């Protein structure tokens, strides 16, 4: 297209994009040259790590580098982008996370915040392909019929075909979303949001915001907990696209290094083992394994030495104060070595005193005629150097080590948990006879509900002497990923309504400061636990010390589909108001009745037709667990899953098979609510007669 025929706004923004891309390319080239130099020392190595983070942020920022502009009433202009850029010490591009960029997400015609216009800029690579201006005057009607910020740009983004992976939304975040993204990170924040409200988008963009705002947080990394590996793959490109790599993504099942889930379990067993009361059971068992105070008789060089019970009691009290089982054991062993060394020295001094009473003259002559004799050679007292040498010999002595092991054995969390899970007497202190029978009947391989119990035991026991060395790596996330006891700067929990009380404890253990963001929809809860409100879900671990936030607008699911959810929510026992849908796809949900025999063939045909209608997008199929095998045989690589597995995912079109069958599953109406709301455009339903 000839430049003269291009709108002025396009020319302005293309010129600016060219300048921003040139500056980015210049900085990238400079950093690349710096990184090619060898690091001379540890300081230089640390500097290169910082430069590499900057380089990766610049490298990933090429697509969508510039996406917005604010024109203020004072005549100033700010361009908003994926990253911040300076030229000649002057700001060229403002990072979307910076305070100066906030009016881009929050200014309205009613509250313009000193702005007269917001401009959304759409780009493909280094080319401007769209410019949408939004006046921010107080003229009625300019705030959008739907009360949205950048309504045109938002609806255009929502109508795009789905690719099977979540993308960033930094150019279209809405005000209620931005409020949560930028909320303080000083305590637990729990965000309730129905389907399509952007819970996951908000959580991930909050991570990017926090890492930008609190630079020290990157030194500890951020943990993102999702409901499934499929979900983590779906969101896996968002944070790297935002330039953030100090992030560890995991599920509750994969959070404990070296431990994997090996079997399924009943919902009854999962509910029982998910209760917070297990923390007390485990603590009591570990405490019972700590030795009590008693007199100890220890042998050294053929002689027995008695350590009084009072001295042992003092050593135990000192060692166990605020320490894990194995750390307390190590401290106690050191103190026991000292007590034994003192006892040996005291016995030697006593023997020498007895000898002195009969042989003072002989010893005196020995002292007069010997050269280089130490005091202990004469009077039996050990010097500090000799006493320290004795302590070291005791600490290295295999016999003494065996004595300590018999007194205070080292423990393996897995072995100990297997013992606890069949200890009917211990379990009966907290569980009913029927519940004890359920737990003790479980097979040996680890199930999902065992992982939080293992984690709790591992924390109570602590590391043993000689444990595997800490994992090393150039990046913080690499080191954090391999350490069970790594302390993160922040933890994000997605689909948090599914966590059991023990899983909550496992998550909070990774962040003692409780800087946590949890997002979810309590009405979509399908897990085995019994809670139906956030207060019930977190009371055992957080009490009342958490902040609530809510997302009320549904951006993804079209209004035609959301109209179907009210009766389902009522059957699920919900007291919440469904989110308000702000868009229509223009496609009414359809329904077709088929026989069980015809179902596989009809499903395959329906999927093919949906794929043709939404070419370039995605189609997903949701069905009861019992129908998955027969459908998989005819659907090939089409995404096919249960309602639980579909949580957090989205497609252009969804084929929902046998809604009655889904409703009949445990917490089935909650599952059906999830299944109905996965599409962005079209919902088809096959009912089985």
């Amino acid at each position: 297209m000839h430049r003269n025929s291009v709108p002025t706004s396009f020319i302005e923004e293309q010129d600016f994009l060219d300048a921003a891309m040139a500056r980015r390319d210049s900085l990238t080239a400079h950093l690349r040259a710096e990184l090619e130099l060898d690091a001379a020392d540890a300081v230089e190595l640390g500097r290169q790590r910082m430069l590499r983070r900057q380089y990766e942020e610049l490298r990933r920022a090429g697509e969508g580098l510039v996406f917005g502009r604010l024109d203020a009433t004072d005549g100033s202009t700010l361009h908003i982008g994926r990253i911040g850029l300076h030229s000649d010490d002057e700001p060229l591009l403002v990072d979307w996370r910076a305070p100066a960029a906030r009016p881009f997400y929050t200014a309205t015609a009613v509250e313009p915040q000193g702005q007269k216009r917001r401009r959304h800029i759409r780009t493909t690579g280094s080319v401007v392909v769209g410019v949408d201006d939004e006046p921010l005057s107080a003229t009625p009607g300019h705030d959008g019929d739907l009360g949205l910020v950048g309504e045109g740009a938002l609806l255009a983004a929502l109508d795009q075909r789905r690719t099977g992976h979540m993308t960033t939304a930094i150019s279209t975040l809405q005000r209620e979303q931005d409020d949560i993204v930028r909320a303080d990170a000083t305590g637990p924040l729990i965000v309730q949001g129905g389907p399509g409200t952007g819970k996951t988008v908000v959580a991930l963009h909050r991570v990017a915001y926090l890492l930008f705002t609190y630079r020290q947080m990157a030194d500890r990394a951020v943990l993102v907990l999702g409901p499934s590996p499929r979900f983590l793959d779906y969101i896996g490109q968002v944070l790297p696209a935002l330039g953030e790599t100090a992030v560890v993504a995991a599920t509750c099942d994969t959070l404990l290094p070296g431990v994997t889930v090996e079997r399924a379990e009943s919902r009854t067993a999962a509910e029982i083992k998910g209760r917070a009361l297990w923390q007390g059971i485990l603590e009591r068992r570990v405490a019972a394994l700590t030795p009590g105070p008693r007199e100890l008789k220890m042998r050294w060089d053929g002689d027995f030495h008695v350590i009084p019970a009072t001295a042992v009691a003092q050593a135990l009290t000192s060692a166990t104060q605020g320490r894990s089982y194995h750390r307390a054991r190590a401290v106690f062993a050191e103190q026991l070595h000292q007590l034994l060394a003192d006892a040996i020295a005291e016995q030697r001094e006593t023997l020498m005193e007895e000898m002195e009473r009969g042989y003072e003259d002989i010893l005196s002559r020995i002292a007069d005629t010997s050269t280089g004799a130490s005091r202990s050679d004469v009077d039996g007292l050990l010097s500090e150097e000799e006493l320290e040498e004795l302590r070291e010999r005791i600490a290295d002595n295999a016999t003494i080590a065996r004595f300590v092991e018999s007194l205070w054995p080292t423990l393996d969390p897995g072995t100990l948990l297997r013992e606890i899970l069949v200890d009917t007497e211990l379990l009966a202190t907290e569980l009913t006879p029927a519940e004890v029978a359920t737990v003790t009947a479980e097979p040996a391989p680890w199930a999902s509900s065992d992982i939080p119990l293992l984690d709790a035991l591992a924390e109570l026991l602590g590391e043993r002497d000689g444990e595997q060395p800490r994992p090393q790596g150039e990046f913080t996330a690499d080191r954090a990923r391999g350490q069970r006891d790594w302390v993160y700067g922040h933890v994000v929990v997605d689909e948090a309504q599914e966590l059991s009380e023990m899983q909550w404890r496992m998550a909070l253990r990774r962040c003692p400061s409780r800087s946590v963001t949890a997002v979810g929809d309590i009405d979509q809860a399908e897990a085995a636990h019994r809670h139906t409100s956030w207060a019930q879900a977190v009371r055992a671990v957080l009490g009342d010390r958490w902040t609530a936030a809510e997302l009320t607008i549904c951006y993804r699911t079209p209004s035609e589909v959301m109209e179907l959810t009210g009766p389902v929510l009522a059957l699920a026992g919900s007291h919440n108001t469904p989110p308000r849908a702000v868009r229509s796809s223009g496609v009414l949900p359809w329904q077709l009745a088929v026989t069980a025999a015809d179902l596989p063939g009809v499903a395959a045909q329906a999927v093919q037709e949906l794929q043709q209608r939404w070419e370039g997008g995605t189609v997903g199929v949701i069905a009861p667990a019992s129908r998955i095998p027969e459908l998989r045989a005819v659907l090939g690589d089409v995404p096919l899953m249960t309602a639980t597995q579909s949580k957090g995912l989205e497609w252009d079109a969804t084929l929902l098979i046998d809604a009655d069958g889904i409703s009949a599953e445990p917490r089935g109406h909650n599952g059906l609510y999830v299944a109905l709301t996965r599409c962005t455009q079209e919902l088809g339903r096959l009912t089985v007669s």
Side-chain angles (χ1 to χ4, degrees), residues 160-167 234 237 616-618 650-652:
Q160 290 179 351
R161 293 289 190 268
R162 268 39 190 176
T163 63
H165 287 92
M166 180 176 285
T167 57
Y234 172 62
Q237 297 178 5
T618 56
E650 65 179 23
W651 305 282
D652 292 274

Side-chain angles (χ1 to χ4, degrees), residues 166 176-177 180-181 188-194 197-207 224-227 231 235 490-499 504 516-525 534 538 547-551 647-648:
M166 180 176 285
E176 69 173 12
Q177 296 175 323
I180 294 170
V181 167
L189 174 66
I190 297 181
V191 182
Q192 162 64 26
T197 54
K199 298 182 295 294
T200 301
V201 165
V202 167
L204 297 179
H205 286 69
R206 177 163 169 77
V207 170
V224 176
L225 282 177
F231 174 83
I235 67 170
H490 192 76
V491 173
V492 169
V493 184
D494 206 333
E495 302 295 346
Q497 75 277 358
E498 303 300 338
L499 266 61
W504 269 106
V516 176
T517 301
V519 299
D521 181 3
I522 203 70
D523 291 326
Q524 295 186 48
W534 285 113
V538 301
T547 302
E550 187 173 6
L551 295 167
K647 195 169 272 106

Side-chain angles (χ1 to χ4, degrees), residues 656-668:
L656 174 58
I657 295 177
D658 192 6
D660 290 341
I662 293 176
S663 297
E665 295 177 331
R667 298 191 79 159

Side-chain angles (χ1 to χ4, degrees), residues 43 211 260 326 441 489 504 534 561 574 581:
V43 174
L211 289 172
T260 57
H326 286 127
W504 269 106
W534 285 113
V561 174
S574 171

Side-chain angles (χ1 to χ4, degrees), residues 281 284 420 423-433 435-436:
I281 293 175
R284 288 194 295 276
I420 292 172
D423 187 336
T424 56
E425 184 176 347
L426 176 63
L427 298 180
T429 61
E430 294 285 356
L431 305 178
T432 67
E435 291 170 342
V436 171

Side-chain angles (χ1 to χ4, degrees), residues 169-225:
I170 51 177
S171 64
T172 56
L173 283 175
Q174 297 299 294
R175 182 166 189 160
E176 69 173 12
Q177 296 175 323
D178 187 73
D179 287 343
I180 294 170
V181 167
R182 297 174 194 263
D184 290 339
T186 54
L189 174 66
I190 297 181
V191 182
Q192 162 64 26
T197 54
K199 298 182 295 294
T200 301
V201 165
V202 167
L204 297 179
H205 286 69
R206 177 163 169 77
V207 170
Y209 169 79
L210 293 176
L211 289 172
F212 173 84
T213 306
Y214 307 101
R215 295 295 185 179
Q216 71 277 11
M217 196 175 283
D219 296 333
R220 301 308 308 169
V222 172
L223 173 65
V224 176
L225 282 177

Side-chain angles (χ1 to χ4, degrees), residues 302-317:
D303 294 325
F304 284 100
H305 303 274
V306 175
I307 311 299
T310 54
V312 174
Q314 291 176 350
L316 284 170
T317 301

